[in-house]
């Protein structure tokens, strides 16, 4: 069926004598949820990672053949798939100078990763595709990428877990000439990529040998066109697109979506709401991307470009139903899917200038709270960690033992109580003003000198929020055990004081 030996020989000629049999195993092994590669198989995992690096660097697509694991993930095209030649118009826009200070501080969002442009085509495993670009675009640092599942399972949390798919399955190649041929043993959606900082360009890119994949663009794709795509689709993955978000989903999920406009309106609203709190201009320099994967680098989801989302029924991590019907996110889940989605998207909105020690997993939850307030009308059953009972217990334990910054930093839901008190007292608009002022600081001082240390970040929080609200909040921060410098305290000392009523609570 597949010529695995040819792939092995092509990739391993430099090392045929030493370890040839081990590399052959890497080229033919099947890894899937039913046959995971155990974390204890250290030598074999190391061999597979080395083999993966070699095929990613291989330049001759004729030497690449399909890997057997590709049939399971990301999947193969259907036997009667038609291979087409398609002209794809792509307009790459260099990020506007005014946005650079904002984007440069979004440290958890993969902000400077290459922009990924969809083509609506899928590359079958092991099959050469040919990309032709205008001569003016040759060697302009433009790339072709095969595959959306870019997490490397050889690092981070996945390195300590049993692998349910091959660890590296994305291929990226630079388009140095007008015509480039490329192939991947695993196949995948075909993309064109370019750095957001690179000069703008506009061109028609011809892709020969891909299979049409499901592609819905809000406001452009009609219901009739979508229905026809669903009927004729032969590719295992496709995408749903708005100005704010792009969802990359398997055909099995997309086939359920008979009304994609309704689904994408909700996702567009969710992303837009979090951007609105962060005071990020809309549309932004590119849409957020969200990709479902059998196995990701860590967690149930993680932030970045793209946001990666586990969907693995074999280990009880299921998210397809929520993606297909985001209205389920409007049902309080006590810390379930809706809090999780809002939380991870919130990481992408965090400006690192206002993320001080202990608040990485705290300030992203501003966005969870905001979305519950704006989408669900309140926080009832939003998360057990913010329930009345837990809030009172955490405050009692904390203040009984004596407020201490090191202790405060260790408990994200304890830390969140402090910011909840600020929000309840001064409203979301004060937070929006606060976030805008940080963007202005970043534009004024690109070197970030104003927030270059943890102390400066803490001081800036107390000072800026005090000025915005017109109240001296330094005693409040200090009551919580957050150290504020004498200089920062002096800067807002003339403002009237403020402290929440019954704080610390006497009933503790």
């Amino acid at each position: 069926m597949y010529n695995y030996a040819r792939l092995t020989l092509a990739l391993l000629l430099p090392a045929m004598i030493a370890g040839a049999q081990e590399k052959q195993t890497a080229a033919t092994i099947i890894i899937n949820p039913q046959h995971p590669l155990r974390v204890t198989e250290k030598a074999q995992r190391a061999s597979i990672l080395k083999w993966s690096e070699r095929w990613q660097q291989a330049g001759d697509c004729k030497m690449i053949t399909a890997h057997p694991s590709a049939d399971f993930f990301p999947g193969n095209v259907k036997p009667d798939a038609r291979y087409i030649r398609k002209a794809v118009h792509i307009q790459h826009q260099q990020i506007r100078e005014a946005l650079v200070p904002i984007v440069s501080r979004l440290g958890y969002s993969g902000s400077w990763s290459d922009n990924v442009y969809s083509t609506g085509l899928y590359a079958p495993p092991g099959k050469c595709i040919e990309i032709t670009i205008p001569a003016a675009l040759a060697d302009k640092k433009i790339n072709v990428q095969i595959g959306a599942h870019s997490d490397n399972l050889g690092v981070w949390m996945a390195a300590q877990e049993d692998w349910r798919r091959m660890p590296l399955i994305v291929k990226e190649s630079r388009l140095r000439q007008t015509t480039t041929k490329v192939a991947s043993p695993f196949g995948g959606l075909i993309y064109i990529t370019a750095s957001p900082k690179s000069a703008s360009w506009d061109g028609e890119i011809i892709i020969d040998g891909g299979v049409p994949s499901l592609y819905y663009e809000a406001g452009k794709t009609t219901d009739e066109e979508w229905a026809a795509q669903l009927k004729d689709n032969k590719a295992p993955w496709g995408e749903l697109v708005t100005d704010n978000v792009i969802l990359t989903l398997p055909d099995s999920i997309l086939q359920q979506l008979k009304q994609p406009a309704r689904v994408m309106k909700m996702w567009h609203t969710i992303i837009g709401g979090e951007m609105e709190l962060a005071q990020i201009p809309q549309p932004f320099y590119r849409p957020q991307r969200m990709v479902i994967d059998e196995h990701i680098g860590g967690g149930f989801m993680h932030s970045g470009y793209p946001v990666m989302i586990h969907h693995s029924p074999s280990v009880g991590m299921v998210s397809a139903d929520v993606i297909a019907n985001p209205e389920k996110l409007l049902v309080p889940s006590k810390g379930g899917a809706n809090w999780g989605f809002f939380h991870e998207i919130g990481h992408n909105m965090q400006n690192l200038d206002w993320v001080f020690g202990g608040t990485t997993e705290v300030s992203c939850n501003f966005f969870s709270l905001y979305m519950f307030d704006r989408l669900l009308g309140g926080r009832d059953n939003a998360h057990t960690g913010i329930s009345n009972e837990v809030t009172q217990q955490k405050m009692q334990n904390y203040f009984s033992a004596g407020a201490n910054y090191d202790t405060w930093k260790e408990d994200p839901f304890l830390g969140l109580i402090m910011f909840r008190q600020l929000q309840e007292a001064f409203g979301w608009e004060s937070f929006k003003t606060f976030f805008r002022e940080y963007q202005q600081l970043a534009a004024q001082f690109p070197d970030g000198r104003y927030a270059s240390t943890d102390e400066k970040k803490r001081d800036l929080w107390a000072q800026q929020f005090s000025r915005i609200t017109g109240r001296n909040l330094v005693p409040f921060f200090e009551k919580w055990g957050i150290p504020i410098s004498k200089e920062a305290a002096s800067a807002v000392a003339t403002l009237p004081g403020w402290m929440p009523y019954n704080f610390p609570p006497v009933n503790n």
Side-chain angles (χ1 to χ4, degrees), residues 92 109-117 140-145 172-174 191-198 285-287 289 305-306:
H92 168 69
S109 69
S111 50
W112 296 129
S113 299
D114 283 359
N115 290 357
V116 176
Y117 298 102
K140 295 292 185 182
K141 297 184 178 179
I142 301 170
N143 309 297
V144 58
Q145 176 180 314
E172 188 170 23
S173 297
R174 180 63 52 84
Y191 302 101
I192 301 299
T193 72
S195 167
K197 295 182 179 180
S198 64
Y285 71 116
R286 63 188 183 194
R289 278 187 171 270
Y305 182 75

Side-chain angles (χ1 to χ4, degrees), residues 19-231:
Q21 180 59 42
E22 185 177 39
K23 300 302 186 289
Q24 174 68 32
T25 301
T28 59
I29 188 172
I30 291 178
I31 302 177
N32 61 31
Q34 288 69 45
H35 301 91
L37 185 59
R38 304 298 181 187
V39 69
T40 53
E41 301 293 334
K42 297 185 184 299
Q44 191 170 32
R45 285 160 70 111
S47 172
I48 289 172
L49 286 169
K50 289 180 181 178
W51 174 86
S52 298
E53 292 169 358
R54 286 191 174 93
W55 76 254
Q56 287 181 322
Q57 297 166 6
D60 187 352
C61 76
K62 294 179 180 179
M63 300 298 182
I64 302 293
T65 56
H67 192 283
S69 290
D71 284 341
F72 301 93
F73 194 88
N76 209 335
V77 299
K78 295 179 181 179
D80 57 344
R82 58 189 178 91
Y83 303 97
I84 68 169
R85 178 182 175 89
K86 179 182 178 181
V88 181
H89 182 262
I90 294 178
Q91 184 173 13
H92 168 69
Q93 186 68 45
Q94 183 178 17
I95 187 171
R96 291 187 288 115
E97 193 64 31
L99 293 180
V100 171
I102 299 174
V103 174
S104 66
R105 300 307 196 266
L106 303 179
Y108 299 125
S109 69
S111 50
W112 296 129
S113 299
D114 283 359
N115 290 357
V116 176
Y117 298 102
S118 304
T119 66
L121 292 171
Y122 194 90
K127 188 179 187 304
C128 285
I129 60 168
E130 183 177 272
I131 300 94
T132 302
I133 61 175
L137 298 183
D139 206 19
K140 295 292 185 182
K141 297 184 178 179
I142 301 170
N143 309 297
V144 58
Q145 176 180 314
I146 298 178
H149 304 92
S150 54
D151 275 12
N152 179 351
L153 305 189
V155 297
W156 198 24
M157 296 172 67
Q160 305 304 319
E161 299 170 343
D162 296 340
W163 290 344
R164 299 187 304 279
R165 67 161 170 83
M166 287 289 283
L168 291 168
I169 59 173
V170 167
K171 168 80 172 181
E172 188 170 23
S173 297
R174 180 63 52 84
L175 299 177
R176 301 184 185 280
Q177 302 168 340
T178 55
T179 299
T180 302
K181 292 185 177 181
V182 63
S184 161
F186 303 98
L189 289 168
I190 303 171
Y191 302 101
I192 301 299
T193 72
S195 167
K197 295 182 179 180
S198 64
S200 299
W201 52 265
D202 185 298
E204 188 172 82
I205 295 177
I206 299 173
I207 301 174
D208 195 354
V211 173
S213 60
L214 290 171
Y215 185 83
Y216 173 87
E217 187 170 0
K220 294 185 178 180
T221 308
T222 66
D223 290 344
E224 293 75 19
E225 289 170 336
W226 179 247
Q229 286 190 52
L230 291 177
K231 181 180 178 181

Side-chain angles (χ1 to χ4, degrees), residues 313-325:
S314 66
V315 292
M317 290 188 288
V318 179
S319 52
D321 60 330
V322 176
I323 295 287
N325 182 11

Side-chain angles (χ1 to χ4, degrees), residues 234-341:
K234 308 298 181 184
W237 289 83
E239 296 189 315
L240 307 172
V241 178
T242 79
D243 288 342
N244 278 353
V245 63
I246 299 173
L247 304 180
T248 303
L249 305 168
D251 174 70
S252 59
I253 298 175
L254 292 168
Q255 291 291 338
Q256 303 174 35
L257 302 184
K258 307 307 179 185
Q259 295 181 306
R262 184 173 181 177
V263 169
M264 293 312 290
K265 182 179 181 180
M266 180 59 70
W267 279 114
H268 187 84
T269 299
I270 291 169
I271 300 295
E274 301 213 15
M275 294 173 72
E276 197 265 343
L277 175 59
Q279 291 294 280
I280 291 175
Q282 300 181 54
F284 206 20
Y285 71 116
R286 63 188 183 194
Q288 300 286 314
R289 278 187 171 270
M290 301 175 68
V291 177
I292 275 187
D293 198 336
E294 169 63 42
H295 198 165
I296 68 174
F300 177 68
M301 292 181 269
H302 71 70
S303 59
Y305 182 75
V307 173
M308 296 299 299
I309 305 158
H310 255 128
H311 179 67
S312 182
S314 66
V315 292
M317 290 188 288
V318 179
S319 52
D321 60 330
V322 176
I323 295 287
N325 182 11
E327 292 184 7
K328 290 187 176 183
L329 297 179
L330 303 184
V331 179
S333 60
K334 297 184 179 181
N338 42 19
W339 184 278
F341 276 102

